[in-house]
Amino acid sequence: MESLTDDLWTTVLARLPIKSFTCFKLVCKQWKSILESPFFRNLFMSVHQNSPSSSWSLMYYSMTADMVADYECDTWGLNRPLDSFIKSLLFDKYDKHKNRHFNVVAYSDAGLILIHTESTDMEKGVLYLANPVSRECVEIFLDPRPIGIEMNKYCWEWGLVTRTEQGHLLGYKVVAFHKKWNDTELSCLIYSSETGMSSLETSVVNYNISLHSISLNGNLHWLALNNDNQEVVLSMDFYATGRGSNRCRVSPFPDLEKTTKFKRTCTPCQGFLMYMNITKLAGSLEDKLCVWRLRSEGWQLISKTSPGSILAGFDYLPMTIDPFDAKTAYFWSTEQESLLYINLHNGKFVIHNQFEHTSDGHIMISLNDPRAMVSVKSPIIINHIIKQAYFLPFVLPQWLHRIP
């Protein structure tokens, strides 16, 4: 081994899964230096450019780290669904707190999760930021006392935003936000990794927002209702200059005046917030499955296909758009107990209703790419939650981020 040069080691290591790099950095100083070099990262991305981009899970907001579907590929080298890594992290790391209740309260687009422990009579609740795959974890000291707010007297929700540059994670912010019903103020308690301090910001927001947010590119996005009861997306940029309301942006949905088939929801994909629905476009005589992405100038229509009777006439409900390829959408039929994925560019679709069941109750679905697999919960569980659940893809990045 000692006779091998750095370039040979780089060539060998670049062909291995991301998950193994955490252990490899502990082997010797030579390997650590190689794995942390920009050249190695670029070589790894080049070697795996024809592989599925990364693994991701479709989580539902029960706050128990449970997933509906899991997309597995060989880039990370995972051997079980992502929610299993999250749960094992909670059990292994915090066994001494086994009398406490842990919740995963936020997911970031950099593959990190925010964990909150409920307070007891003797101890206060604690926040942890973690990478569930590498098992790196840090405690967050979000102390509201210096600014005169007691956390237990308010109903706080959580958000987690990150700042990246050229694939490197530079910093993160943990956001606890609170808005009373019919109140015009949104209070945000913000912890910054770059300062190690907390601050309170208040914005004037004349919208009723949903409880759960989507984290993307340093922004939190909420589904909201304006004063006319119209559905909009409320976005807040936590790395923008200025404070409070200067960070906010409101984007009405592009099909507000039209009849749609599905309940309006959004999903992150390729660095954008995406929205899809079946509706009739202006000048069109038939319904179209339309997909928009949110840009700085507003919603941009990026595809429209004929859904056919398979979507328009049956009980298929949308699950998500593939977070990486932006052309594959997944739907579930509670009546047929089948999974459908459709190409958003040409309308071609595949229906899966013959499943291979695993010992833990999941069903496995092979994709066209032999290096990728989808596993989903049992049909009974999916049918129970899909009509009322709000889904969010938890996406692993294409590189291993160290927590700053």
Side-chain angles (χ1 to χ4, degrees):
M1 291 177 61
E2 294 178 355
S3 64
L4 296 182
T5 59
D6 282 4
D7 60 331
L8 289 176
W9 275 124
T10 301
T11 302
V12 172
L13 296 175
R15 283 158 174 78
L16 299 175
I18 295 176
K19 184 176 181 292
S20 59
F21 295 162
T22 301
C23 297
F24 288 167
K25 288 184 180 183
L26 305 177
V27 173
C28 60
K29 292 182 178 179
Q30 180 191 21
W31 282 24
K32 185 176 187 296
S33 176
I34 291 173
L35 291 167
E36 292 180 349
S37 68
F39 176 79
F40 177 80
R41 179 182 179 276
N42 293 335
L43 179 61
F44 176 87
M45 301 293 282
S46 175
V47 169
H48 293 267
Q49 63 181 339
N50 294 324
S51 301
S53 296
S54 190
S55 298
W56 53 271
S57 283
L58 187 63
M59 313 297 291
Y60 65 93
Y61 267 114
S62 65
M63 290 308 166
T64 56
D66 287 331
M67 65 89 180
V68 176
D70 190 68
Y71 183 96
E72 306 165 22
C73 68
D74 61 0
T75 307
W76 270 83
L78 306 182
N79 55 7
R80 60 185 192 272
L82 278 174
D83 71 326
S84 176
F85 282 93
I86 295 174
K87 290 176 180 177
S88 65
L89 172 70
L90 298 182
F91 288 130
D92 293 347
K93 291 286 187 181
Y94 312 118
D95 183 60
K96 63 180 180 179
H97 301 301
K98 57 186 176 182
N99 292 327
R100 285 190 172 188
H101 184 64
F102 290 87
N103 285 326
V104 178
V105 294
Y107 301 89
S108 83
D109 53 342
L112 303 178
I113 62 175
L114 186 66
I115 304 166
H116 180 250
T117 69
E118 292 185 354
S119 59
T120 65
D121 293 337
M122 301 296 295
E123 299 181 37
K124 295 181 179 179
V126 182
L127 284 172
Y128 297 96
L129 185 70
N131 181 323
V133 180
S134 68
R135 311 184 80 77
E136 185 183 8
C137 184
V138 296
E139 185 173 346
I140 304 297
F141 297 96
L142 187 63
D143 187 0
R145 290 174 301 174
I147 51 179
I149 290 182
E150 295 183 34
M151 189 73 75
N152 60 356
K153 287 188 178 181
Y154 290 83
C155 179
W156 294 88
E157 298 295 333
W158 302 95
L160 176 62
V161 295
T162 54
R163 184 168 69 91
T164 58
E165 184 176 301
Q166 296 181 347
H168 296 282
L169 179 62
L170 302 181
Y172 60 86
K173 292 186 178 182
V174 174
V175 184
F177 55 89
H178 170 72
K179 183 180 185 297
K180 296 180 181 178
W181 186 254
N182 290 330
D183 196 354
T184 60
E185 288 190 347
L186 177 67
S187 300
C188 295
L189 183 61
I190 305 170
Y191 170 86
S192 172
S193 64
E194 298 173 10
T195 63
M197 300 176 64
S198 303
S199 61
L200 180 68
E201 294 189 14
T202 301
S203 302
V204 177
V205 179
N206 292 307
Y207 299 89
N208 291 321
I209 65 173
S210 61
L211 294 178
H212 308 302
S213 59
I214 296 176
S215 173
L216 188 63
N217 300 328
N219 289 257
L220 289 180
H221 304 275
W222 294 273
L223 299 183
L225 294 176
N226 62 18
N227 292 331
D228 296 325
N229 231 29
Q230 293 178 317
E231 294 174 298
V232 301
V233 173
L234 176 66
S235 307
M236 186 173 290
D237 188 346
F238 287 89
Y239 283 97
T241 57
R243 295 171 64 87
S245 301
N246 294 330
R247 300 176 181 266
C248 294
R249 173 187 174 192
V250 177
S251 305
F253 279 96
D255 54 1
L256 279 181
E257 306 302 324
K258 303 182 183 300
T259 301
T260 59
K261 179 175 175 62
F262 306 127
K263 178 182 177 181
R264 291 186 175 96
T265 58
C266 294
T267 183
C269 178
Q270 292 186 333
F272 294 95
L273 200 68
M274 309 282 278
Y275 164 64
M276 68 175 174
N277 217 320
I278 294 178
T279 189
K280 196 183 301 293
L281 294 174
S284 176
L285 299 179
E286 61 176 350
D287 289 342
K288 296 287 185 179
L289 174 58
C290 301
V291 181
W292 292 267
R293 64 183 173 192
L294 187 58
R295 303 179 64 93
S296 58
E297 63 271 18
W299 292 100
Q300 176 191 22
L301 181 66
I302 60 173
S303 73
K304 52 181 180 179
T305 57
S306 297
S309 60
I310 193 64
L311 280 180
F314 288 84
D315 70 329
Y316 281 96
L317 297 173
M319 298 177 73
T320 190
I321 299 174
D322 189 293
F324 290 101
D325 72 7
K327 67 179 181 181
T328 306
Y330 296 86
F331 296 80
W332 179 263
S333 168
T334 56
E335 181 179 332
Q336 307 294 325
E337 292 189 348
S338 59
L339 178 73
L340 175 148
Y341 60 90
I342 184 170
N343 187 309
L344 296 171
H345 293 174
N346 56 29
K348 295 182 178 179
F349 61 86
V350 176
I351 298 175
H352 290 283
N353 50 25
Q354 299 295 323
F355 304 122
E356 174 187 346
H357 291 262
T358 64
S359 59
D360 59 358
H362 292 89
I363 52 180
M364 305 298 293
I365 303 168
S366 298
L367 302 181
N368 293 332
D369 193 319
R371 296 162 297 186
M373 180 80 69
V374 167
S375 67
V376 299
K377 289 276 191 181
S378 69
I380 295 176
I381 297 177
I382 295 181
N383 290 350
H384 176 69
I385 66 174
I386 193 168
K387 288 188 177 181
Q388 69 270 9
Y390 178 70
F391 302 114
L392 176 69
F394 173 49
V395 180
L396 290 182
Q398 294 176 278
W399 190 243
L400 179 64
H401 295 309
R402 298 289 298 178
I403 298 178

